[in-house]
Each structure stands twice: as structure tokens, then as C-alpha cells.
Coordinates of all heavy atoms in Angstrom, one line a residue:
T1 N 19.7 4.8 -22.5 CA 20.9 5.4 -22.0 C 21.7 6.2 -23.1 O 22.2 7.3 -22.9 CB 21.8 4.3 -21.4 OG1 21.1 3.7 -20.4 CG2 23.1 5.0 -20.8
A2 N 21.8 5.6 -24.3 CA 22.5 6.2 -25.4 C 21.8 7.6 -25.8 O 22.5 8.6 -26.0 CB 22.5 5.3 -26.6
T3 N 20.5 7.6 -25.8 CA 19.8 8.8 -26.1 C 20.0 9.9 -25.0 O 20.1 11.1 -25.3 CB 18.3 8.5 -26.2 OG1 18.1 7.5 -27.2 CG2 17.5 9.8 -26.7
L4 N 20.0 9.4 -23.7 CA 20.2 10.4 -22.6 C 21.6 11.0 -22.7 O 21.7 12.2 -22.5 CB 20.1 9.6 -21.3 CG 18.7 9.4 -20.8 CD1 18.7 8.5 -19.5 CD2 17.9 10.7 -20.4
S5 N 22.6 10.2 -23.1 CA 23.9 10.8 -23.2 C 24.1 11.7 -24.4 O 24.9 12.6 -24.4 CB 24.9 9.6 -23.3 OG 24.8 8.7 -22.2
A6 N 23.3 11.4 -25.5 CA 23.5 12.2 -26.7 C 22.6 13.4 -26.7 O 23.1 14.6 -27.0 CB 23.2 11.3 -27.9
T7 N 21.3 13.3 -26.5 CA 20.4 14.4 -26.7 C 19.6 14.7 -25.5 O 18.8 15.7 -25.5 CB 19.4 14.1 -27.9 OG1 18.7 12.9 -27.6 CG2 20.2 13.9 -29.2
G8 N 19.7 13.9 -24.4 CA 18.9 14.2 -23.2 C 17.6 13.4 -23.2 O 17.4 12.5 -24.0
V9 N 16.7 13.8 -22.4 CA 15.4 13.1 -22.3 C 14.6 13.2 -23.5 O 14.4 14.3 -24.1 CB 14.6 13.7 -21.1 CG1 13.2 13.1 -21.0 CG2 15.4 13.5 -19.8
S10 N 14.0 12.1 -23.9 CA 13.2 12.1 -25.1 C 11.7 12.4 -24.8 O 11.1 11.7 -23.9 CB 13.2 10.7 -25.8 OG 12.4 10.6 -26.9
L11 N 11.1 13.4 -25.4 CA 9.7 13.7 -25.2 C 8.8 13.0 -26.2 O 7.6 13.1 -26.0 CB 9.6 15.3 -25.3 CG 10.4 16.1 -24.3 CD1 10.2 17.6 -24.6 CD2 10.1 15.8 -22.9
S12 N 9.3 12.4 -27.1 CA 8.5 11.7 -28.1 C 8.3 10.2 -27.8 O 9.3 9.5 -27.4 CB 9.2 11.8 -29.5 OG 8.5 11.0 -30.5
P13 N 7.1 9.7 -27.8 CA 6.9 8.3 -27.5 C 7.7 7.3 -28.5 O 8.0 6.2 -28.1 CB 5.4 8.1 -27.7 CG 4.8 9.4 -27.5 CD 5.8 10.4 -28.1
M14 N 8.1 7.8 -29.6 CA 8.8 7.0 -30.6 C 10.2 6.7 -30.0 O 10.8 5.7 -30.4 CB 8.9 7.7 -31.9 CG 7.6 8.0 -32.6 SD 6.7 6.5 -33.0 CE 7.8 5.7 -34.2
G15 N 10.7 7.5 -29.2 CA 12.1 7.3 -28.6 C 12.1 6.6 -27.3 O 13.1 6.5 -26.6
W16 N 10.9 6.2 -26.8 CA 10.9 5.6 -25.5 C 11.2 4.1 -25.6 O 11.0 3.4 -26.6 CB 9.5 5.8 -24.9 CG 9.2 7.2 -24.6 CD1 10.1 8.2 -24.5 CD2 7.9 7.8 -24.2 NE1 9.4 9.4 -24.2 CE2 8.1 9.2 -24.0 CE3 6.6 7.2 -24.1 CZ2 7.0 10.0 -23.7 CZ3 5.6 8.1 -23.7 CH2 5.8 9.4 -23.5
S17 N 11.6 3.5 -24.5 CA 12.0 2.1 -24.4 C 11.9 1.6 -23.0 O 12.0 2.4 -22.0 CB 13.4 1.9 -25.0 OG 13.8 0.6 -24.7
M18 N 11.7 0.3 -22.8 CA 11.6 -0.3 -21.5 C 13.0 -0.9 -21.1 O 13.1 -1.6 -20.1 CB 10.6 -1.4 -21.4 CG 9.2 -0.8 -21.7 SD 8.6 0.3 -20.4 CE 8.4 -0.8 -19.0
D19 N 14.0 -0.5 -21.8 CA 15.4 -1.1 -21.5 C 15.8 -0.9 -20.1 O 16.4 -1.8 -19.5 CB 16.4 -0.5 -22.5 CG 16.2 -1.0 -23.9 OD1 15.4 -2.0 -24.1 OD2 16.7 -0.4 -24.9
N20 N 15.6 0.3 -19.6 CA 16.1 0.6 -18.2 C 15.4 -0.3 -17.2 O 16.0 -0.7 -16.2 CB 15.8 2.1 -17.9 CG 16.7 3.0 -18.7 OD1 17.9 2.7 -18.9 ND2 16.2 4.1 -19.1
Y21 N 14.1 -0.5 -17.4 CA 13.3 -1.4 -16.4 C 13.8 -2.8 -16.6 O 13.9 -3.5 -15.6 CB 11.9 -1.3 -16.7 CG 11.3 0.1 -16.4 CD1 11.1 1.1 -17.3 CD2 10.9 0.4 -15.1 CE1 10.6 2.3 -17.0 CE2 10.3 1.6 -14.8 CZ 10.2 2.6 -15.7 OH 9.7 3.8 -15.4
I22 N 14.1 -3.3 -17.8 CA 14.6 -4.6 -18.0 C 15.9 -4.8 -17.3 O 16.2 -5.8 -16.6 CB 14.6 -5.0 -19.5 CG1 13.2 -4.9 -20.1 CG2 15.3 -6.3 -19.7 CD1 13.2 -5.1 -21.6
R23 N 16.8 -3.9 -17.5 CA 18.1 -3.9 -16.9 C 18.0 -3.9 -15.4 O 18.7 -4.6 -14.6 CB 19.0 -2.8 -17.4 CG 19.4 -2.9 -18.8 CD 20.1 -1.6 -19.3 NE 21.2 -1.3 -18.4 CZ 21.7 -0.1 -18.1 NH1 21.0 1.0 -18.6 NH2 22.7 0.1 -17.4
L24 N 17.1 -3.1 -14.9 CA 16.9 -3.0 -13.4 C 16.5 -4.3 -12.8 O 17.0 -4.7 -11.7 CB 15.8 -1.9 -13.1 CG 15.5 -1.7 -11.6 CD1 16.6 -0.9 -11.0 CD2 14.2 -0.9 -11.5
I25 N 15.6 -5.1 -13.5 CA 15.2 -6.3 -13.0 C 16.2 -7.5 -13.2 O 16.4 -8.3 -12.3 CB 13.8 -6.7 -13.7 CG1 12.7 -5.7 -13.3 CG2 13.4 -8.2 -13.3 CD1 11.5 -5.9 -14.0
E26 N 16.9 -7.5 -14.4 CA 17.8 -8.6 -14.7 C 19.2 -8.4 -14.1 O 19.8 -9.4 -13.8 CB 17.9 -8.7 -16.2 CG 16.6 -9.1 -16.9 CD 16.7 -9.3 -18.4 OE1 17.8 -8.9 -18.9 OE2 15.8 -9.9 -19.0
Q27 N 19.7 -7.2 -14.0 CA 21.1 -6.9 -13.6 C 21.2 -6.5 -12.2 O 22.4 -6.4 -11.7 CB 21.7 -5.9 -14.6 CG 21.7 -6.3 -16.0 CD 22.3 -5.2 -16.9 OE1 22.9 -4.3 -16.5 NE2 22.1 -5.4 -18.2
T28 N 20.2 -6.3 -11.5 CA 20.3 -5.8 -10.1 C 19.4 -6.7 -9.2 O 18.6 -7.5 -9.7 CB 19.9 -4.4 -9.9 OG1 18.5 -4.2 -10.1 CG2 20.6 -3.5 -10.9
S29 N 19.5 -6.6 -7.9 CA 18.6 -7.3 -7.0 C 17.4 -6.4 -6.5 O 17.0 -6.6 -5.4 CB 19.4 -7.7 -5.8 OG 20.0 -6.6 -5.1
F30 N 16.9 -5.6 -7.4 CA 15.9 -4.6 -7.0 C 14.6 -5.3 -6.6 O 13.9 -4.8 -5.7 CB 15.7 -3.6 -8.2 CG 15.1 -2.3 -7.7 CD1 15.9 -1.4 -7.1 CD2 13.8 -2.0 -7.8 CE1 15.4 -0.2 -6.7 CE2 13.2 -0.8 -7.4 CZ 14.1 0.1 -6.8
L31 N 14.2 -6.4 -7.2 CA 13.0 -7.1 -6.8 C 13.1 -7.6 -5.4 O 12.1 -7.6 -4.6 CB 12.7 -8.2 -7.8 CG 12.3 -7.8 -9.2 CD1 11.9 -9.0 -10.0 CD2 11.1 -6.9 -9.1
K32 N 14.3 -8.1 -5.0 CA 14.5 -8.6 -3.7 C 14.5 -7.4 -2.7 O 13.9 -7.5 -1.6 CB 15.8 -9.3 -3.6 CG 16.0 -10.1 -2.3 CD 16.9 -9.4 -1.3 CE 17.1 -10.3 -0.1 NZ 17.8 -9.5 1.0
N33 N 15.0 -6.3 -3.1 CA 15.0 -5.1 -2.3 C 13.5 -4.6 -2.1 O 13.2 -4.1 -1.0 CB 15.8 -4.0 -2.9 CG 17.2 -4.4 -3.1 OD1 17.8 -4.1 -4.2 ND2 17.8 -5.1 -2.2
M34 N 12.7 -4.7 -3.1 CA 11.3 -4.4 -3.0 C 10.6 -5.3 -2.0 O 9.8 -4.8 -1.2 CB 10.6 -4.5 -4.4 CG 11.0 -3.4 -5.4 SD 10.1 -1.9 -5.1 CE 8.5 -2.3 -5.6
L35 N 10.9 -6.5 -2.1 CA 10.3 -7.5 -1.1 C 10.8 -7.1 0.3 O 9.9 -7.2 1.3 CB 10.7 -8.9 -1.4 CG 10.2 -10.0 -0.5 CD1 8.7 -10.0 -0.6 CD2 10.8 -11.4 -1.0
D36 N 12.0 -6.8 0.5 CA 12.5 -6.3 1.8 C 11.7 -5.1 2.3 O 11.3 -5.1 3.5 CB 14.0 -6.0 1.8 CG 14.9 -7.2 1.6 OD1 14.4 -8.3 2.0 OD2 16.0 -7.1 1.1

């Protein structure tokens, strides 16, 4: 998120992270929605 706000989408694998997916699973009910 910090990179998106500052410079936009990162095209380099060095700037990639799974943080958004971790937050999606831990902070939302998305897995339950997937099951629905």
C-alpha cells in the first residue's frame, strides 16, 4: 500500500509483497465469502 501511494504499481519483483493477501485473509471475512 505504501508503494502504491508513493510511486504507483511496482513492476520489479523486488518490490512485490504478499501483504495485501495476508490482510485480506486476516482482517476481512473473505474466506467465508468465498465459501458462500
